[in-house]
Amino acid sequence: MTPPPSDNPPILEVRHLRKSFADRTVLADVDFDVPTGAVVSILGRSGTGKSVLLKCIIGLLETDGGHVLYKGESLKLPEVRSRLRQSSSYVFQQNALFDSATVFENVLLPLRARGKGTREEWEVKVRKVLARLELEESSERYPAELSGGMQKRLAVARALVTEPELVFFDEPTAGLDPLRRNAVFSMVCELQRERGFTAILVTHDVQEALVVSSRILWLDAGRVRFNGEAASFEASQEPELREFRDNIEALRATLQKSRSSHSPTL
Ligand SMILES: Nc1ncnc2c1ncn2[C@@H]1O[C@H](COP(=O)(O)OP(=O)(O)O)[C@@H](O)[C@H]1O
Ligand SMILES: [Mg+2]
C-alpha cells in the first residue's frame, strides 16, 4: 500500500478517548489522527483494548470521555454518526456472518440495509465482489460450509460491497494458518490499493503491520505509546516497545511451528 502524503487531512481525529468497564480502565487517554487514504495499524497485546477502541470509534460502545471527529465534525452528532455509518464498514474479529443466510445473501444484506439502488444493481455488485474475492462458486453455500479462510474472505466481501471510504479491520487474519493468512492478507492489501479506501487495521501481527502501514500505533496500558512510521517502529530501542516486538515474534514462531503439520486448503 502506498503511503499517502502525511499532510492529507484527517478523516478521523480521536481525542482523549476514555473507557472503563466497572473498575477496569481499558482506554485511559487515547489520542491519534487517521489521515485520509492511509493504512493505520493498531498493534497491542491481547486484551489491551484494540477491539474496544474500534467499537468506541464507530459508536458500538459508549465512551466515558473524549471525542472523535469524522471529517472535522463530532461523532456525538447523530447526523455525523449516520454519515460515518453510511460510508464505512467493519470486519469483525469473529466475522459476524449470518449463519442462516447464503454467501450471496450475506453480501447482499448491507446493500439492502442501505436501501440505495435497485435489486438488480445490488446483485451486480454482489457478483462482482464475490468474484474478486474468489467466492463466486460458493455463492449458494452457507457460512458453516466454508473454510476459515473463505469465511474471512466473505466477511471482507460483505464489508467492501458498499464501496466504503473507510474500513475497520479487526484482526482480519487471526485464527488462520499461515497460508490462509497470507492469502486473505494479500487480498486485503490489493483491494486497498485498487480502491484507495482508508484502512484501520487492528492486528497482533507486527510483520503484517510493517508491510502495509502508512502509520503504526502501539496501544499499551490504555494509551498510544508509539505513533509513527513503520521504519521508526522497527528501529525503536525503547525497552518496552522492544519487549513487545520480541514477544510477538516469539509467539508467531511458535504458532507457525505448531501449525506446520496441517496442510490447509484455501
Ligand atoms: N463489553 C465488555 N464488558 C466488560 N469488559 C469488556 C467488554 N469488552 C471488552 N472488555 C474488556 O476490555 C479489555 C480489552 O478488550 P479488547 O478490546 O477485546 O482487547 P483486544 O486488544 O484483545 O482487542 C479486556 O480486558 C476485556 O475483557
Ligand atoms: Mg480484539
Side-chain angles (χ1 to χ4, degrees):
M1 302 184 195
T2 316
S6 52
D7 56 358
N8 269 5
I11 189 164
L12 285 179
E13 294 162 73
V14 177
R15 292 290 173 264
H16 304 298
L17 217 57
R18 289 191 288 114
K19 177 71 186 171
S20 302
F21 294 106
D23 57 353
R24 166 145 163 62
T25 300
V26 177
L27 308 176
D29 184 3
V30 172
D31 224 75
F32 65 94
D33 284 358
V34 177
T36 305
V39 178
V40 173
S41 286
I42 302 176
L43 291 168
R45 289 183 183 87
S46 184
T48 325
K50 304 182 296 297
S51 297
V52 167
L53 173 58
L54 290 195
K55 287 175 187 164
C56 285
I57 294 174
I58 61 173
L60 274 178
L61 278 175
E62 252 183 72
T63 58
D64 300 331
H67 59 273
V68 181
L69 303 179
Y70 169 59
K71 297 186 177 175
E73 291 184 278
S74 172
L75 280 168
K76 286 183 177 155
L77 303 168
E79 64 273 22
V80 182
R81 271 205 304 278
S82 155
R83 277 207 292 278
L84 175 68
R85 218 170 293 133
Q86 286 288 327
S87 56
S88 65
S89 10
Y90 196 105
V91 177
F92 289 89
Q93 198 166 349
Q94 270 82 29
N95 298 332
L97 300 169
F98 295 100
D99 292 337
S100 57
T102 63
V103 165
F104 192 91
E105 289 160 351
N106 262 281
V107 181
L108 187 72
L109 265 160
L111 292 171
R112 185 187 286 152
R114 277 163 217 230
K116 286 187 197 143
T118 64
R119 169 99 197 180
E120 287 69 35
E121 285 164 352
W122 300 342
E123 290 186 357
V124 169
K125 286 186 180 182
V126 174
R127 276 195 293 273
K128 201 170 140 192
V129 79
L130 285 179
R132 183 65 188 78
L133 283 142
E134 296 169 20
L135 285 168
E136 55 202 329
E137 280 163 24
S138 306
S139 69
E140 293 313 311
R141 291 163 78 183
Y142 288 86
E145 301 171 311
L146 306 178
S147 71
M150 289 165 97
Q151 290 179 357
K152 280 287 172 197
R153 281 187 271 141
L154 173 54
V156 173
R158 193 180 56 181
L160 296 185
V161 72
T162 53
E163 294 167 14
E165 61 173 358
L166 176 60
V167 187
F168 298 90
F169 293 96
D170 195 352
E171 310 233 16
T173 61
L176 300 179
D177 51 64
L179 245 177
R180 286 188 179 120
R181 191 163 68 203
N182 286 344
V184 170
F185 189 67
S186 356
M187 268 186 189
V188 167
C189 297
E190 282 168 23
L191 284 159
Q192 195 278 336
R193 268 197 303 264
E194 276 169 34
R195 301 185 172 200
F197 53 78
T198 307
I200 300 187
L201 174 71
V202 163
T203 177
H204 59 271
D205 192 317
V206 176
Q207 292 311 320
E208 277 183 6
L210 292 176
V211 171
V212 299
S213 308
S214 336
R215 188 175 291 192
I216 305 263
L217 301 181
W218 177 44
L219 191 66
D220 186 52
R223 288 166 206 275
V224 175
R225 298 276 305 276
F226 177 92
N227 180 352
E229 291 183 1
S232 37
F233 181 83
E234 261 186 309
S236 171
Q237 293 304 312
E238 203 272 308
E240 285 178 70
L241 179 50
R242 273 179 61 180
E243 189 197 332
F244 169 73
R245 274 194 324 241
D246 296 347
N247 283 344
I248 291 285
E249 280 316 297
L251 177 67
R252 184 184 157 91
T254 315
L255 281 176
Q256 288 206 349
K257 224 162 133 190
S258 73
R259 284 176 177 146
S260 58
S261 52
H262 303 290
S263 54
T265 41
L266 287 169

